[in-house]
Amino acid sequence: MFPGGAAQGVSLTQPNYEAFVRGRVAEVRQRIEAARMQSANRQAVTLVAVTKTHGPDAVVAAYNAGVLDVGENKVQEAESKMDVLEVPVRWHLIGHLQRNKAKSATRFDLVHSVDSPRLAQALNDAAQAANRVLDVLMQVNVSGEGSKSGIGVGDVASFAGMLHQCSHLRVTGVMTMAPFDAAEPVLRSVFSGARVAQEQLSAEGHPATVLSMGMSDDFEVAVQEGATLVRLGTVLFGHRA
Ligand SMILES: *Cc1c(COP(=O)(O)O)cnc(C)c1O
């Protein structure tokens, strides 16, 4: 029941909670599959369960429902869960990262939020010090909203060139966020813009196979537009406190 012996943070309501999450995961997988059938390439789609604000039991419940990828938006909160869990999930850092936290970011399997050359340099230094190669995504701000982090679409090619100097980073794709509550045509243009950025990275010689886009309110459109990875919180675990 608890592979790796992860029983910490488990409450007496665990069986109900696990059943609840398992039901949500099953429903979401069906919705992903239906959307995938409406996509051009029928790409494989990885489900990342976003456990931010939820306790370690959410990670265990997701894992027991067959989800092998977990996303957190804050380094410290993620570390507090990593430290008490032994479930062999892949940890994704999906939130904005400050350069002074670059060292901790090397505990993750994929960092989605590389949004500036200075952050890339700090992560490269940290990965080198940890004697590893770190997989990262370039976060692209397709909509151009001032409130969103990410590199502008016009800067993707030059950033891609700079990233070749980061020998300890492997740039495996692009991450984007659509505007909150956007109409479907806007979502489609943002998501297809991210796909263009991914193609630019590939053209620049990066192994850019990942397209991280789609959250609880827009993941089906994202999958139709080519997402290979969706980041889902609310639809799996309910609303955050
Ligand atoms: C919180 C968060 C998500 C998940 O959002 P939901 O709407 O709850 O699915 C996805 N991506 C990022 C970057 C997030 O911060």
Side-chain angles (χ1 to χ4, degrees), residues 100-175:
N100 61 10
K101 303 253 174 68
K103 187 162 178 274
S104 305
T106 62
R107 287 185 72 177
F108 290 82
D109 296 284
L110 181 63
V111 176
H112 292 227
S113 44
V114 177
D115 58 4
S116 74
R118 288 171 69 184
L119 176 60
Q121 191 59 58
L123 283 171
N124 188 62
D125 293 347
Q128 181 161 22
N131 198 20
R132 61 166 294 194
V133 171
L134 183 64
D135 284 357
V136 300
L137 304 180
M138 184 189 291
Q139 184 172 352
V140 179
N141 181 356
V142 180
S143 66
E145 284 179 291
S147 60
K148 285 212 160 46
S149 26
I151 208 95
V153 286
D155 296 325
V156 169
S158 65
F159 193 15
M162 175 268 168
L163 284 164
H164 281 303
Q165 292 158 29
C166 296
S167 57
H168 288 72
L169 300 183
R170 187 165 57 186
V171 185
T172 58
V174 163
M175 182 272 237

Side-chain angles (χ1 to χ4, degrees), residues 72-131:
E72 288 280 338
N73 68 332
K74 295 195 178 112
V75 167
Q76 248 181 341
E77 184 183 344
E79 286 188 310
S80 74
K81 291 169 199 172
M82 290 175 183
D83 288 346
V84 298
L85 291 172
E86 285 173 42
V87 282
V89 292
R90 287 182 289 267
W91 291 90
H92 296 249
L93 182 59
I94 61 175
H96 180 68
L97 178 64
Q98 284 165 346
R99 273 178 297 140
N100 61 10
K101 303 253 174 68
K103 187 162 178 274
S104 305
T106 62
R107 287 185 72 177
F108 290 82
D109 296 284
L110 181 63
V111 176
H112 292 227
S113 44
V114 177
D115 58 4
S116 74
R118 288 171 69 184
L119 176 60
Q121 191 59 58
L123 283 171
N124 188 62
D125 293 347
Q128 181 161 22
N131 198 20

Side-chain angles (χ1 to χ4, degrees), residues 21 25 49 51 57-70 236-237:
V21 171
V25 167
T51 48
D57 52 341
V59 178
V60 174
Y63 178 73
N64 284 339
V67 178
L68 302 178
D69 293 85
V70 167
L236 298 180
F237 303 109

Side-chain angles (χ1 to χ4, degrees), residues 162-199:
M162 175 268 168
L163 284 164
H164 281 303
Q165 292 158 29
C166 296
S167 57
H168 288 72
L169 300 183
R170 187 165 57 186
V171 185
T172 58
V174 163
M175 182 272 237
T176 202
M177 291 173 79
F180 181 67
D181 253 3
E184 193 179 309
V186 177
L187 294 176
R188 288 198 191 280
S189 79
V190 167
F191 293 144
S192 62
R195 199 175 58 223
V196 169
Q198 179 200 18
E199 287 160 5

